[in-house]
Amino acid sequence: MEPDPRSQRQAAAATARGPEPDERPRSIAIIMDGNGRWASARGLPVADGHREGARALRRTVEAAIDLEIGSLAVYAFSTENWARPADEVGSILELLDETIDRELPDLARQGVRTRFFGRRDRIPDGLREKIAALEAETAANDRLHLWIAFDYGGRAELVEATRRLLRDGVPPEDVSEETLAERLYARELPDPDLVIRTSGEQRLSNFLLWQSAYAELVFVDTLWPEFGEEALRAAVEEYARRARRFGAR
Ligand code: FPP
């Protein structure tokens, strides 16, 4: 079949000004990968890669606000990441602490509501309290919902949801997609329309396994510390092209 010229014109216009609001993903999830490679390519310690990664997160959150994305979920620390060298784990915990003190209050003033999801019992007490305080302080914000996955694993989340079903005494005939989804770590986290992974790797790595069932997946070669507005916009445009299925049914 000949390509539809109207669709082609619409595509060209969308590229020039960015996708129309109703063609944009409402919920985006990002696997922020490549901090280590960014650092080692520069002969820097891995902690510097994570620090630059935190700056990229700040830029990306601000770009998501501009693009009117309602929800952004990012994979900051997986259940498997505890197995990294102790000094690297320490540097990520420290960076999170600093990010809560310095970056997130600024983003809160721009209307960002921040919530964390994953296990909390292994996070040091002081940091856990800071997380809870930030969540409480930003609870009324609604411009962008930022979800930070910390000590998170998709399989662990499903195991925990199953435990909750059993603890709640839900009879087998009442176990459904709804009753299980209500028991995930973050029951209000919308399913991502778009999942982006940076650094050229093409895996989900245990991120949002349940929630990503119907997500569009976009893999980009950019290392996470180099990600920002332009790369986010390009991924959103890629999503819009796929969601509109030019010329197809
Ligand atoms: C992957 O890079 C990234 C992580 C392990 C997560 C760290 C994320 C950040 C520091 C962003 C800031 C977030 C917060 C909230 C502090 P990698 O080290 O696995 O990269 P590699 O595959 O090149 O080694």
Side-chain angles (χ1 to χ4, degrees):
M1 209 171 83
E2 285 296 303
D4 172 359
R6 199 167 136 252
S7 299
Q8 287 182 322
R9 273 201 308 279
Q10 283 172 347
T15 310
R17 68 168 189 277
E20 296 294 337
D22 63 352
E23 293 157 351
R24 288 178 205 161
R26 277 185 290 265
S27 173
I28 297 183
I30 306 184
I31 301 170
M32 309 182 287
D33 195 11
N35 295 347
R37 276 162 285 166
W38 182 91
S40 66
R42 286 161 181 75
L44 297 170
V46 67
D48 287 7
H50 294 316
R51 185 164 298 281
E52 206 53 40
R55 294 196 184 106
L57 177 58
R58 165 85 191 239
R59 288 195 298 274
T60 304
V61 170
E62 291 184 338
I65 295 174
D66 290 345
L67 284 168
E68 297 172 12
I69 308 297
S71 164
L72 178 67
V74 294
Y75 205 2
F77 194 82
S78 73
T79 49
E80 293 76 27
N81 285 155
W82 291 111
R84 292 196 177 194
D87 58 344
E88 183 179 351
V89 171
S91 75
I92 295 176
L93 291 170
E94 208 175 294
L95 188 58
L96 175 61
D97 202 283
E98 285 175 27
T99 302
I100 292 178
D101 284 344
R102 293 195 203 141
E103 308 283 347
L104 295 172
D106 237 21
L107 292 172
R109 282 188 282 280
Q110 297 176 52
V112 176
R113 176 175 189 183
T114 302
R115 276 174 282 183
F116 286 73
F117 64 108
R119 282 181 64 167
R120 298 222 174 176
D121 56 307
R122 298 190 286 194
I123 297 176
D125 292 347
L127 187 52
R128 193 168 49 244
E129 283 156 21
K130 275 192 185 182
I131 287 173
L134 177 74
E135 290 178 325
E137 283 157 19
T138 63
N141 290 351
D142 204 31
R143 196 142 168 233
L144 174 80
H145 291 201
L146 174 64
W147 297 87
I148 299 180
F150 207 88
D151 199 0
Y152 174 85
R155 287 185 174 182
E157 177 175 43
L158 291 171
V159 169
E160 180 58 26
T162 308
R163 286 198 184 123
R164 290 176 188 173
L165 283 168
L166 294 170
R167 271 192 226 115
D168 293 345
V170 177
E173 58 277 17
D174 289 344
V175 174
S176 64
E177 293 189 14
E178 287 72 30
T179 55
L180 191 141
E182 278 164 13
R183 289 168 175 82
L184 297 173
Y185 289 133
R187 61 153 88 175
E188 290 168 49
L189 171 66
D191 288 352
D193 300 311
L194 167 63
V195 175
I196 302 168
R197 183 174 187 145
T198 58
S199 88
E201 305 293 339
Q202 304 195 351
R203 290 186 296 279
L204 284 179
S205 296
N206 208 11
F207 191 42
L208 298 177
L209 297 181
W210 174 276
Q211 298 87 336
S212 296
Y214 297 101
E216 290 291 333
L217 309 179
V218 170
F219 301 105
V220 297
D221 289 336
T222 313
L223 299 175
W224 175 251
E226 287 166 350
F227 199 87
E229 182 182 353
E230 200 183 322
L232 182 68
R233 212 171 258 279
V236 165
E237 283 167 5
E238 167 71 22
Y239 170 86
R241 278 193 294 276
R242 289 193 201 171
R244 286 189 296 168
R245 295 186 187 89
F246 295 124
R249 237 191 289 273

